[in-house]
Amino acid sequence: MTKTRSDITVNISKGTGIPVKEVRTVIEAFLEEVKEVYYSNNRIKFRGFGVFENKFRKGRIGRNPRTNEEVKIPGRWMPTFKPSKVLKREVENKVFSKD
């Protein structure tokens, strides 16, 4: 099941008692801040959660599957998220403990 921004907003509101409108404002501000960090090629590090940063993917030669023609794919910057060891361990324990 996919959770939407709206689902998360309602869940946080219920869990904290903060009105949905205020939670939505905070979530929007957080997402804008993450975008600004990506745009400025910096990184955000949340200990115990992970790191948001840009990574450069080198250019390469690809192939058009229809024509089998070689196509040059240029290098580009990609926004990435790398989960921390703590988060990876917690996810693994929660997912596999449901069996």
Side-chain angles (χ1 to χ4, degrees):
M1 180 178 132
T2 301
K3 284 209 171 198
T4 64
R5 186 181 309 192
S6 178
D7 296 334
I8 292 170
T9 302
V10 170
N11 288 343
I12 291 173
S13 177
K14 285 179 183 176
T16 62
I18 300 171
V20 172
K21 194 172 185 178
E22 290 180 28
V23 173
R24 187 178 304 120
T25 302
V26 170
I27 289 174
E28 292 298 325
F30 173 75
L31 294 175
E32 284 303 315
E33 185 64 26
V34 171
K35 286 184 205 175
E36 286 301 319
V37 168
Y38 279 133
Y39 299 157
S40 62
N41 203 22
N42 289 321
R43 50 189 274 168
I44 299 176
K45 182 175 183 179
F46 292 107
R47 289 184 188 258
F49 188 73
V51 178
F52 295 88
E53 66 182 338
N54 287 325
K55 294 232 174 157
F56 187 76
R57 294 185 72 181
K58 295 187 307 185
R60 60 188 173 88
I61 302 295
R63 204 168 278 289
N64 182 333
R66 284 193 187 145
T67 62
N68 213 21
E69 178 184 344
E70 285 188 352
V71 178
K72 184 174 191 242
I73 301 170
R76 61 184 176 168
W77 287 96
M78 295 289 296
T80 62
F81 172 73
K82 181 180 179 189
S84 72
K85 290 178 184 178
V86 173
L87 180 61
K88 287 180 187 178
R89 195 172 334 124
E90 287 176 0
V91 167
E92 187 170 343
N93 290 337
K94 297 279 185 185
V95 170
F96 289 116
S97 68
K98 290 183 179 182
D99 293 339

